[in-house]
Amino acid sequence: MNTSLFSELNDRQRDAVTAVNGPVLVIAGAGSGKTRVLTERIAYLLREHHVSPREILAFTFTNKAAREMKERLERKTPGAAETMWVGTFHATGVRILRRHGDKIGIQRNFSIYDADDSLNLLKRILQRNAVAAYAVRSPRALRDKISRMKNGLVTPAIAQQQAAHDVDERIATLYAEYVKELERANALDFDDLIARVVELFSVCDEARVQYATRFRYVLVDEFQDTNAIQMAMIDHLSSVHHNLFVVGDDDQSIYSWRGARVEHILDFEDLYENTRVIRLEQNYRSTRTILNAANHVIAHNEGRKGKHLWTDGDVGEKIQLIAAHDEESEAVYVVQCVKRMCARGLSLKDIAILYRTNAQSRALEDVLVMSSLPYQIIGSVRFYERMEVRDILAWCKVLVNPNDTVNLRRAIHVPRRGIGKTSFEKLEEEAYQRGVSVIDVLRDGGAPVAGAPARRCAEFLKLYERLATVVANEVAPVVVERVVELTGYVKYLETNYPDGEGRVENVEEIISKASGFAEGADDPSLRGFLEEVALVADVDNLDLETGQLTLMTLHNAKGLEFDCVVVTGLEEGLFPHFNSFNDQRAIEEERRLFYVGITRARKHLVLTCVGMRRRQGQFEGGMPSRFLGELPDECLDRPQQPSVEVGVSGSRDLFGGAGTRVMRGTHDEYSQESPGDDQFSQEELSYRVGMRVRHDNFGAGVVRKVEGAGDQLRITVIFDLGSERKFLAQYAPMHPM
DNA sequence: TGGTAGAGGCTTTTT
DNA sequence: GCCTCTACCA
């Protein structure tokens, strides 16, 4: 064996790479080089064991991760990436269903329904089933319920059987109706892309054996976030060779709300006999300070396998804690901090700002615009969710699949063409009765509609047929362009929307995306394009080479790393979020999310919280997050206060000297901790580090330090006005805010 | 049929 | 605070 191949791997990593046959579970801590292990392992299989690339199947969490893995492999072993299957569960599911879906009644031109399409379909079902509709709070709630059932391998029939109450039964009825309607529309929703593969493999053993034989080696990244249905898919696909290699970290499991089961990792050894377990605990990413903080935080969780990350790297800088007055000053502070990092030699692309909820990006964005720093936001307003983009795509979808009623409904109404709701519903009813598509009804003369609307329908059909011809003969970008042109969509936007200009740009952007797609695609057809579009996540578009600052949710940051990471909004109610308050497991998941955030940072970590935050229009006071109290004191820098009160008028010179000087003070005096100081005991006290308090004489401030206990309890507070004072808690006229 | 005004709900996270 | 849905009117 050529050992020089592995000279840069540590012993454990090498074990993982070379454990060729049988089930292997790699517990890989954050920054322990798991991506490298995955790619090295594949390269090793190809080179040393003469495995053909087409015998390898690898699951990644995002399309971006898949792309990157392929690129790395292509560099190592040219030509290999082409025939290898590397992708997300959803993308792989589509691939399988396009080939073998007909075995379970799926036509090749099926539509993929995203969350919004599903919702539209469910709304119509609820309208038709008014009685059953009482069982659900909202269409959304129903969608989530159905999704959870699908991801838990619960079919409508099982749901019906298990129904304990009237309510459950009605939900099961609605679920059954939804499944039926999807089938009628020849559409699959997101969950179906996996669930129906599992169905295929259970119904058609030939298909299962074919795939499971072909894929001698199955690899799964981010294994802690697989749900039951994905697990079933993995199980089928590895059922012939049993060479299943999974990599995950139970401490980074953050998708239980999507049905992910951390038990898959915890019980893997019991599920698969003779499993080899390998633990990667050496971290190559973060400073010792950051790692220390991460280890302390995650130690508060009970439901974990337990591991201790270590590094032989530098201690590095302390973690900066910033307490701001409100979200505006938080944003200003963050931007100041970013500028300071840049002044110290970091590039904007090495910095990320992370938050719990998408809504938090707004305040940050406002300040970033003023500061003219280039930035990219991942996730808040997704390109493919914009109205104008959806309109065009609705046209495309229904052109590929005439049975796609949800998108036909949308297409027929944009632009407005004199066919109203009533007419459409008549057509739909007719189609339903006859068991054909609405397009077919139109082709037969649109029987139930008469008069002016009938003429409009005939015109619409003519337009549809004309575009359908284009679809049959042209590549995706040409079709999209003709759709825009022949529907008169640009004019429609310009006349109906005051902000039409930006929307037109988005329409042009779809065309150019289609061109970009067609250039590199095996199948440059419209269908291929729609498939790609349906499966892209926003994070797939993240470009770390553009020199921009990146903003995104903590969930989106999974798998990424930056020199400097700022986690904002560390307040009770926001992070951890309110919704998790009455569930210990949910709180632990929030903590894991925080852990993920911390471990994204290589060198610098900044944490911020505010005293006041606007929530749905209302101002709400928040206490600093309990997670801040879980950070070891010796890792922390002193809390910072914005040196300037922020108003729009005063923001011009926000980024000048005054503010930064205050922030740059030396903090040695704060880091001398009394060794007996046990931060865990602070949990029981009413004052915690980072907490906002009000003192009758000095006003509002932040608790910097808590010492002693009982009547010797001393609290050090930094006041918003700039001073710092120490009090005996029992005498001070002070209380938490 | 289509536009608009006002009410009501909502935001935790996403393939 | 913003978005979506509904009811009502032109």
Side-chain angles (χ1 to χ4, degrees):
Chain A
M1 196 204 309
N2 184 353
T3 46
S4 72
L5 268 177
F6 310 114
S7 54
E8 285 170 29
L9 296 175
N10 68 34
D11 291 351
R12 294 282 82 70
Q13 289 175 328
R14 196 172 307 140
D15 287 346
V17 167
T18 56
V20 173
N21 290 317
V24 181
L25 166 66
V26 180
I27 310 251
S32 62
K34 85 184 152 74
T35 312
R36 267 199 68 207
V37 164
L38 274 166
T39 37
E40 290 288 344
R41 177 182 165 83
I42 294 175
Y44 173 77
L45 289 173
L46 298 177
R47 264 194 291 202
E48 305 294 319
H49 288 264
H50 308 292
V51 174
S52 158
R54 64 184 301 283
E55 295 175 311
I56 289 176
L57 169 65
F59 289 108
T60 57
F61 199 70
T62 62
N63 296 298
K64 181 170 175 276
R67 201 168 55 225
E68 286 170 357
M69 186 181 288
K70 276 191 185 171
E71 282 166 8
R72 270 193 294 269
L73 279 164
E74 190 59 33
R75 275 194 302 264
K76 281 185 171 297
T77 44
E82 225 168 278
T83 52
M84 198 181 299
W85 280 34
V86 183
T88 61
F89 282 100
H90 293 86
T92 305
V94 171
R95 241 172 136 172
I96 293 173
L97 291 172
R98 288 277 186 228
R99 291 163 190 226
H100 290 95
D102 57 335
K103 297 245 182 342
I104 48 169
I106 300 168
Q107 297 168 48
R108 288 194 54 149
N109 63 335
F110 63 80
S111 297
I112 299 171
Y113 275 9
D114 61 21
D116 199 56
D117 292 326
S118 298
L119 201 62
N120 285 330
L121 182 56
L122 282 169
K123 280 177 191 163
R124 278 174 41 224
I125 290 169
L126 286 169
Q127 276 165 12
R128 272 214 293 270
N129 298 272
V131 178
Y134 281 112
V136 290
R137 203 170 342 121
S138 66
R140 257 164 219 273
L142 177 61
R143 183 190 61 191
D144 296 347
K145 272 208 168 75
I146 290 177
S147 177
R148 240 171 292 138
M149 286 192 274
K150 280 193 182 180
N151 284 313
L153 295 158
V154 176
T155 61
I158 297 174
Q160 197 69 252
Q161 272 169 26
Q162 291 178 342
H165 324 277
D166 191 34
V167 172
D168 294 344
E169 224 158 86
R170 289 180 189 185
I171 287 172
T173 311
L174 292 167
Y175 178 19
E177 183 71 9
Y178 173 68
V179 169
K180 211 173 86 195
E181 284 294 297
L182 279 175
E183 215 159 285
R184 245 167 53 79
N186 187 26
L188 303 186
D189 68 15
F190 268 139
D191 303 321
D192 283 336
L193 300 180
I194 299 161
R196 303 219 62 188
V197 171
V198 173
E199 183 192 331
L200 168 70
F201 288 158
S202 343
V203 171
C204 175
D205 208 48
E206 192 194 330
R208 177 189 64 85
V209 171
Q210 187 187 326
Y211 283 101
T213 307
R214 168 180 170 165
F215 296 124
R216 280 173 63 200
Y217 293 93
V218 178
L219 301 92
V220 186
D221 194 8
E222 306 284 7
F223 185 66
Q224 74 282 358
D225 285 321
T226 52
N227 60 32
I229 199 91
Q230 291 165 339
M231 193 63 212
M233 183 164 160
I234 294 168
D235 196 57
H236 279 303
L237 285 165
S238 59
S239 56
V240 169
H241 299 293
H242 306 286
N243 293 326
L244 177 58
F245 181 91
V246 302
V247 185
D249 178 3
D250 50 316
D251 289 333
Q252 292 185 68
S253 162
I254 54 175
Y255 280 93
S256 74
W257 49 275
R258 213 168 75 181
R261 311 260 326 198
V262 75
E263 291 79 6
H264 291 154
I265 227 178
L266 303 177
D267 304 340
F268 190 86
E269 294 168 79
D270 303 329
L271 290 170
Y272 295 94
E273 259 176 59
N274 302 322
T275 292
R276 179 119 189 244
V277 182
I278 296 164
R279 310 170 75 86
L280 305 180
E281 295 187 313
Q282 182 174 5
N283 174 296
Y284 295 95
R285 179 186 297 157
S286 309
T287 63
R288 233 182 308 169
T289 300
I290 290 169
L291 217 51
N292 185 15
N295 280 332
H296 265 83
V297 166
I298 202 64
H300 285 75
N301 274 4
E302 280 168 17
R304 58 193 293 256
K305 223 166 174 164
K307 84 171 110 27
H308 198 85
L309 280 182
W310 59 277
T311 176
D312 54 16
D314 292 341
V315 173
E317 282 178 26
K318 296 203 172 190
I319 297 165
Q320 274 188 64
L321 244 184
I322 295 174
H325 180 257
D326 58 16
E327 54 198 336
E328 271 174 52
S329 44
E330 178 187 49
V332 170
Y333 229 116
V334 168
V335 171
Q336 284 178 332
C337 183
V338 166
K339 292 209 162 183
R340 210 158 37 100
M341 288 292 170
C342 289
R344 293 175 54 190
L346 258 65
S347 155
L348 280 176
K349 72 175 167 56
D350 300 323
I351 306 173
I353 304 176
L354 309 180
Y355 34 77
R356 180 66 180 80
T357 68
N358 283 305
Q360 289 168 256
S361 67
R362 187 168 234 109
L364 289 159
E365 198 173 4
D366 288 345
V367 177
L368 282 166
V369 168
M370 287 191 293
S371 74
S372 65
L373 284 178
Y375 64 92
Q376 55 184 335
I377 296 189
I378 305 300
S380 65
V381 193
R382 292 184 194 111
F383 180 72
Y384 289 108
E385 282 171 19
R386 290 169 195 273
M387 177 212 72
E388 57 276 15
V389 178
R390 294 194 67 88
D391 281 347
I392 296 300
L393 291 178
W395 263 99
C396 295
K397 284 187 188 177
V398 75
L399 284 168
V400 169
N401 171 17
N403 292 307
D404 185 343
T405 329
V406 168
N407 282 299
L408 175 62
R409 170 184 279 246
R410 185 167 191 132
I412 211 166
H413 291 308
V414 271
R416 298 278 172 204
R417 51 171 48 79
I419 303 171
K421 214 175 141 199
T422 334
S423 297
F424 186 79
E425 269 161 18
K426 276 187 201 159
L427 291 169
E428 219 183 358
E429 185 55 31
E430 172 85 6
Y432 188 75
Q433 294 300 332
R434 288 173 43 194
V436 297
S437 72
V438 173
I439 292 290
D440 285 332
V441 173
L442 288 173
R443 280 176 180 148
D444 296 345
V449 184
R455 275 201 306 280
R456 308 285 191 184
C457 285
E459 277 168 38
F460 173 78
L461 182 64
K462 229 166 98 188
L463 177 59
Y464 180 89
E465 302 286 24
R466 205 170 152 197
L467 285 167
T469 322
V470 181
V471 172
N473 299 309
E474 301 283 358
V475 293
V478 178
V479 182
V480 178
E481 215 174 333
R482 299 288 279 164
V483 166
V484 173
E485 186 190 324
L486 293 179
T487 56
Y489 193 68
V490 170
K491 196 167 171 209
Y492 163 78
L493 282 180
E494 282 168 347
T495 49
N496 289 284
Y497 295 90
D499 57 343
E501 213 172 301
R503 291 173 190 268
V504 173
E505 276 170 28
N506 287 331
V507 170
E508 281 160 3
E509 177 69 18
I510 318 173
I511 299 175
S512 78
K513 278 201 195 298
S515 309
F517 161 78
E519 272 169 34
D522 302 332
D523 170 19
S525 71
L526 182 62
R527 203 185 72 191
F529 179 57
L530 288 176
E531 198 165 282
E532 162 135 329
V533 159
L535 299 177
V536 290
D538 214 42
V539 72
D540 294 332
N541 296 318
L542 174 66
D543 188 348
L544 293 178
E545 300 310 314
T546 56
Q548 297 179 91
L549 176 65
T550 305
L551 280 70
M552 66 186 136
T553 61
L554 288 139
H555 281 90
N556 267 321
K558 185 167 95 157
L560 303 174
E561 57 179 273
F562 299 87
D563 281 346
C564 171
V565 167
V566 184
V567 182
T568 69
L570 277 151
E571 298 127 44
E572 285 293 300
L574 187 62
F575 194 19
H577 197 269
F578 291 113
N579 296 8
S580 59
F581 276 6
N582 44 21
D583 181 352
Q584 188 54 35
R585 280 170 313 176
I587 287 287
E588 295 207 350
E589 177 143 323
E590 296 281 305
R591 189 175 283 113
R592 289 194 292 271
L593 192 55
F594 184 44
Y595 176 78
V596 167
I598 295 173
T599 52
R600 297 311 92 198
R602 285 192 281 250
K603 298 182 188 132
H604 312 281
L605 180 62
V606 182
L607 307 173
T608 72
C609 64
V610 306
M612 215 54 140
R613 189 177 292 275
R614 227 200 311 258
R615 256 185 94 78
Q616 288 164 215
Q618 307 284 325
F619 272 107
E620 278 173 25
M623 299 234 295
S625 171
R626 70 193 71 185
F627 299 151
L628 292 176
E630 295 167 3
L631 295 163
D633 227 19
E634 72 269 14
C635 292
L636 297 183
D637 210 335
R638 65 180 285 187
Q640 311 268 354
Q641 286 299 311
S643 54
V644 243
E645 264 320 306
V646 189
V648 179
S649 60
S651 44
R652 229 175 312 127
D653 56 343
L654 281 180
F655 310 110
T660 44
R661 220 182 311 123
V662 176
M663 294 175 72
R664 228 185 259 129
T666 56
H667 314 303
D668 296 345
E669 61 202 284
Y670 300 104
S671 52
Q672 299 159 358
E673 299 307 326
S674 41
D677 222 18
D678 177 11
Q679 65 265 12
F680 294 101
S681 68
Q682 288 171 18
E683 290 255 313
E684 287 129 44
L685 307 172
S686 54
Y687 291 103
R688 272 208 314 268
V689 172
M691 180 186 277
R692 277 193 74 78
V693 293
R694 178 169 293 282
H695 189 281
D696 286 353
N697 302 330
F698 301 102
V702 177
V703 175
R704 162 60 207 136
K705 199 166 171 181
V706 182
E707 295 162 287
D711 52 10
Q712 282 306 302
L713 182 65
R714 281 173 225 268
I715 314 290
T716 311
V717 178
I718 299 188
F719 290 101
D720 291 7
L721 294 172
S723 66
E724 178 184 313
R725 277 160 215 277
K726 193 181 259 191
F727 306 96
L728 270 174
Q730 63 171 334
Y731 299 123
M734 184 170 73
H735 48 89
M737 281 169 78

